[in-house]
Amino acid sequence: MSEYITFTSRKITPKGLSDNTPLNQEKIKSYFYSTEYEKLKLLDGFTIPLEAQNPTLLYPGCGTDILTPLLYIEKIFSNTKKWDLIFVDTSNTFDILKTILDDVGVFFEETKNNEIRFYWSDILISLQFFEQDIFSSIDSFDFDIYFERAFRIMKDQVPEYEYLVYAQLRNNGVIISDNGFARQKLERISVPLTLSSYGEMIIGVKK
C-alpha cells in the first residue's frame, strides 16, 4: 500500500516555552515514510563531540522538513543542549513548520518575525527561517553544522556551491549530507551509507 504524507498549515497560537511536554512519538513517525523512519535507528549509539557549546546549524532547501535535523541533533549531538537553527528555502514554509511542531506536542514562543524558540526534549532550540535563495546568500551565514537532504538536483546547477559551503563552515564544523562533498578536506566519520537514499551518506569534520 502506498504511503501518503500531507503537509498543511493552520493558525497556531504560541503557547510559550515548556521543557516538560512529552513529544508525540506516533505523530512524529507519521511525518516520515516508514522506510525513512526505520533508517533513523542507524543513528542510535552514534555520537559526535562538538567544540561549540551553542552551535549553529544551517539547513538549505528545508521545505517542510523540521523533524529530521531535530532527530539528528537529539541522537548524535546529545551532549549539546542549546542550538541555533537557520532554515532557508525559496518557498515560505514557516507556518507549516510551526504546525508540525504543534502537532507533535512542541510548545514554542515567537521571539520576532520568522524566529521561534522551543524545547526539543531537553534541548533549547532557536530557529530562524529565511525565504531566499541560498545560492546567492550562502556567504552571509556562518555555521558549525551544515545539514543537507534531498538537495542534489538544486546544487548541481551551481558547481561551486560545495566549495562555498566549506568556506563558510567554521573550523571543526560538521557537514551532514546525503550526497556530495567528495572534494572537500574533511575528516570522514564512518556512517551507514544507507542513511542516504542515494547510498552516499557523508558526515565529515572540517579540520
Side-chain angles (χ1 to χ4, degrees):
M1 182 180 294
S2 299
E3 296 178 89
Y4 297 96
I5 303 174
T6 302
F7 296 94
T8 59
S9 66
R10 63 179 184 274
K11 184 175 177 55
I12 303 296
T13 301
K15 299 181 177 71
L17 280 177
S18 176
D19 61 354
N20 58 8
T21 54
L23 296 173
N24 186 330
Q25 298 297 330
E26 285 304 310
K27 194 65 179 179
I28 291 172
K29 188 176 179 179
S30 74
Y31 277 110
F32 290 89
Y33 293 110
S34 56
T35 53
E36 291 182 345
Y37 190 80
E38 286 301 310
K39 285 180 181 179
L40 291 171
K41 293 180 181 178
L42 296 171
L43 294 172
D44 292 346
F46 184 81
T47 59
I48 300 175
L50 284 179
E51 290 188 359
Q53 297 301 305
N54 184 181
T56 297
L57 178 148
L58 175 67
Y59 187 6
C62 61
T64 57
D65 181 26
I66 190 170
L67 298 178
T68 306
L70 290 173
L71 289 169
Y72 267 73
I73 287 171
E74 178 185 354
K75 287 175 176 289
I76 66 178
F77 301 110
S78 57
N79 291 334
T80 305
K81 299 302 182 183
K82 189 175 181 182
W83 284 75
D84 293 325
L85 273 52
I86 300 171
F87 279 29
V88 182
D89 203 282
T90 54
S91 298
N92 190 345
T93 58
F94 195 43
D95 285 343
I96 297 177
L97 301 181
K98 290 187 285 186
T99 300
I100 294 170
L101 288 176
D102 189 73
D103 282 348
V104 303
V106 172
F107 292 1
F108 64 84
E109 65 175 6
E110 293 191 84
T111 53
K112 58 184 178 182
N113 189 39
N114 286 352
E115 182 174 328
I116 58 176
R117 290 203 312 157
F118 58 91
Y119 279 96
W120 179 262
S121 297
D122 60 346
I123 304 167
L124 180 60
I125 305 288
S126 296
L127 186 153
Q128 286 183 285
F129 183 91
F130 293 88
E131 183 184 359
Q132 60 190 45
D133 179 4
I134 189 63
F135 300 120
S136 60
S137 61
I138 183 65
D139 60 357
S140 66
F141 299 113
D142 293 307
F143 40 91
D144 304 283
I145 310 293
Y146 176 82
F147 189 91
E148 180 187 294
R149 183 169 176 261
F151 202 55
R152 172 187 276 177
I153 294 175
M154 283 71 76
K155 72 177 183 180
D156 278 354
Q157 302 171 42
V158 186
E160 70 275 16
Y161 177 69
E162 290 186 354
Y163 294 97
L164 296 174
V165 168
Y166 184 82
Q168 293 301 117
L169 181 69
R170 293 170 181 152
N171 287 336
N172 298 307
V174 180
I175 288 177
I176 302 173
S177 177
D178 58 4
N179 75 99
F181 295 96
R183 298 181 180 180
Q184 278 60 55
K185 188 177 180 181
L186 297 168
E187 183 179 285
R188 311 284 168 139
I189 296 172
S190 179
V191 62
L193 298 181
T194 51
L195 276 167
S196 160
S197 59
Y198 306 112
E200 301 177 11
M201 192 68 191
I202 177 174
I203 298 181
V205 182
K206 179 179 179 179
K207 294 295 187 179

